[in-house]
Amino acid sequence: MTGWKRGRAALLGTVVAASLALTGQPAGAAPYPGDGAGPDTGAGVMNTAFSKAAAEYDVPRDLLIAVGYGETHLDGHGGRPSQANGYGVMHLVSQPEHKTLERAAKLTGESVAELKKDTATNIRGAAAVLRAVADEQGLDATDRDSLAEWYPVAAEYGAATNDRTARLYADTAYDLLNKGLRAQAAGNEQILLKARKVTPDRGRYASIASDLGVLSDDYPAALWVPASTSNYQTGRTAAINKVVVHVTQGSYAGTISWFQNPSSKVSAHYVVRSSDGQVTQMVRDANTAWHARSGNPSSIGIEHEGFVADPSWFTDSMYRSSAALTRHLTAKYGIPRTRTGVVGHSEVPGNDHSDPGANWNWTYYMSLVNGGTGDPGPGPGTSFPTWGTGVSIRQEATTTSAQVASLAGPTSVRVQCQKRGQLVNYQGYSNDAWSYLPDYGGYISNIFIDVSDSWLPGVPTC
């Protein structure tokens, strides 16, 4: 391997090289933007918008990015609303109890229509709202220079229905600040947050439990956080005979908050987090959640954090955790572990939704449901983060061998061993090292493993 080096920051974006991995051509990655190669991460429409908004309203640029990424992975979704009626990369919401969208319009003088659809305007609007909240909370100029002091502001921005969910929202943003991230925005623009140590001043949120609640009685691996009683029906009118797979069209914390909001009139039994597969139950199995219209009386609904059009949310951790839950449910209620017993929201009669969409890997998901390997517990090999979207896993260490699976987006994988294989070239970078992933039964080019060395440290040779 020559001339290739990437940092250890969490690589959470998508890549233009992914299509090469799927077509049998050499797969690779653009160099990590922190190593002096590749595009200037300060340039581009979104980078400029973040910098200008941060300067105008004296809000930390990195906080803006972390809040936006936690909400939408910095994808404005063409101005379409989230499930919780939030808009743009910064998820400005228009709800009966929370109106950050309208507040942004008043503070900036921009129209609601422009705040919904224009990315730079949306970012400016969010910065204005964050600054207004900071002023209300008494942050002075010195406080505003400290990322640690902005924690209660971020918590309030999330428009949560209670303090516990607000803490979950703010913790997500500060986890990103501590871990760092690289995201790819529209036009292949790179957005970079360098990892740094931030110990937030949680203020009144410090006394709030860091988890969401007690463990579920129905599924002990899940946390129990009840939805508003206005959003589901007590009891059932039919026997449970299917599991319905959903995508939240919003963030984990935002979805939990929305199901707790009595005005939403929607709910699901379970919500699964993208980053680590954490499961929260919000409606008891014995009750009827409002998630699939005609399918409500006879189904269990599982929401998965993310957006249908963005595969970066569908991580291996999410697939495995959700599959373990579905395996539990199918065993408990005698549901067939087939695509007649486990269906997508779009497949339920009388529904007009498209989730989970084309980016959901049904083949892999059902193999986990049926194969008994979906439990995200310890397994063989060493865990490493990956990056990229639609990255192929091959039967052998070549780009021309059969594809046995693919990674929808950045995730964590177990590497059992590594060996030399086909040389992969991309944008002047080369690597002939390949890793064997026992959970998939195939090899991935080490270019897609997020470490600075081409030959993974501490991993034996196959």
Side-chain angles (χ1 to χ4, degrees):
M1 178 264 177
T2 58
W4 176 72
K5 184 178 179 65
R6 283 188 278 115
R8 294 179 180 270
L11 299 175
L12 299 168
T14 57
V15 290
V16 296
S19 60
L20 298 176
L22 294 172
T23 58
Q25 300 302 314
Y32 176 64
D35 65 1
D40 178 359
T41 56
V45 173
M46 190 175 290
N47 274 296
T48 299
F50 277 122
S51 296
K52 284 186 174 180
E56 180 179 1
Y57 291 100
D58 196 16
V59 176
R61 171 189 176 273
D62 287 1
L63 179 73
L64 277 174
I65 293 173
V67 166
Y69 191 88
E71 286 278 22
T72 68
H73 282 197
L74 304 182
D75 185 344
H77 309 288
R80 296 181 298 276
S82 71
Q83 178 175 235
N85 214 40
Y87 293 87
V89 298
M90 299 304 296
H91 201 250
L92 293 170
V93 300
S94 180
Q95 301 170 0
E97 297 86 359
H98 304 286
K99 295 183 178 293
T100 54
L101 176 64
E102 289 81 2
R103 189 177 193 186
K106 183 176 181 179
L107 289 168
T108 63
E110 303 283 0
S111 70
V112 166
E114 230 14 53
L115 284 160
K116 287 181 178 180
K117 68 180 182 181
D118 182 73
T119 294
T121 305
N122 186 266
I123 292 171
R124 181 170 179 256
V129 171
L130 284 164
R131 173 59 189 274
V133 174
D135 289 345
E136 291 167 357
Q137 293 188 2
L139 270 67
D140 60 21
T142 301
D143 295 330
R144 294 196 298 272
D145 288 338
S146 170
L147 272 171
E149 298 295 328
W150 283 85
Y151 183 95
V153 178
E156 185 171 330
Y157 178 89
T161 52
N162 57 62
D163 284 351
R164 182 164 287 173
T165 310
R167 171 163 176 167
L168 173 65
Y169 181 93
D171 281 348
T172 298
Y174 276 78
D175 283 346
L176 290 168
L177 289 170
N178 277 281
K179 294 176 181 176
L181 69 88
R182 180 176 76 174
Q184 187 161 308
N188 299 329
E189 182 181 356
Q190 299 279 352
I191 310 295
L192 174 66
L193 277 188
K194 293 184 177 179
R196 88 287 307 284
K197 178 64 176 176
V198 182
T199 302
D201 182 354
R202 291 187 169 89
R204 67 186 179 88
Y205 297 98
S207 61
I208 303 298
S210 59
D211 61 15
L212 283 172
V214 298
L215 297 181
S216 162
D217 291 334
D218 289 327
Y219 184 58
L223 299 172
W224 167 243
V225 180
S228 168
T229 55
S230 298
N231 296 337
Y232 66 90
Q233 178 182 323
T234 302
R236 286 186 180 269
T237 59
I240 298 170
N241 62 16
K242 67 179 70 68
V243 173
V244 180
V245 172
H246 299 266
V247 175
T248 60
Q249 294 298 98
S251 69
Y252 182 67
T255 299
I256 291 170
S257 180
W258 188 232
F259 290 168
Q260 292 174 317
N261 188 325
S263 67
S264 74
K265 306 305 180 186
V266 293
S267 61
H269 294 89
Y270 298 91
V271 186
V272 184
R273 186 159 62 187
S274 170
S275 61
D276 59 2
Q278 183 183 85
V279 180
T280 291
Q281 183 179 15
M282 302 198 68
V283 177
R284 296 296 188 196
D285 291 0
N287 293 329
T288 305
W290 295 340
H291 62 102
R293 293 188 182 179
S294 67
N296 289 342
S298 60
S299 67
I300 299 282
I302 305 177
E303 289 277 5
H304 298 82
E305 181 186 25
F307 289 83
V308 169
D310 187 350
S312 69
W313 293 91
F314 303 149
T315 64
D316 196 58
S317 296
M318 172 182 280
Y319 278 122
R320 289 179 174 278
S321 178
S322 175
L325 170 59
T326 295
R327 193 166 61 253
H328 163 82
L329 293 170
T330 52
K332 184 175 181 179
Y333 298 107
I335 301 170
R337 290 178 180 170
T338 66
R339 288 286 281 107
T340 58
V342 184
V343 301
H345 189 181
S346 62
E347 298 168 318
V348 179
N351 283 274
D352 59 0
H353 287 66
S354 63
D355 56 317
N359 291 311
W360 181 262
N361 191 333
W362 276 111
T363 300
Y364 179 50
Y365 185 68
M366 293 306 296
S367 74
L368 293 173
V369 171
N370 282 284
T373 58
D375 187 351
T382 304
S383 181
F384 288 94
T386 71
W387 73 288
T389 300
V391 178
S392 289
I393 299 169
R394 301 287 181 177
Q395 189 173 46
E396 301 296 339
T398 69
T399 60
T400 55
S401 65
Q403 178 181 306
V404 298
S406 67
L407 303 180
T411 187
S412 179
V413 295
R414 294 171 181 149
V415 175
Q416 181 172 305
C417 59
Q418 59 188 331
K419 69 178 184 179
R420 301 295 180 184
Q422 178 185 341
L423 181 67
V424 175
N425 298 294
Y426 184 72
Q427 293 188 351
Y429 297 88
S430 302
N431 189 6
D432 65 354
W434 291 70
S435 290
Y436 180 73
L437 310 183
D439 294 324
Y440 299 88
Y443 293 85
I444 182 176
S445 167
N446 280 9
I447 278 182
F448 287 102
I449 305 292
D450 178 26
V451 297
S452 57
D453 302 319
S454 63
W455 192 252
L456 302 183
V459 176
T461 301
C462 296

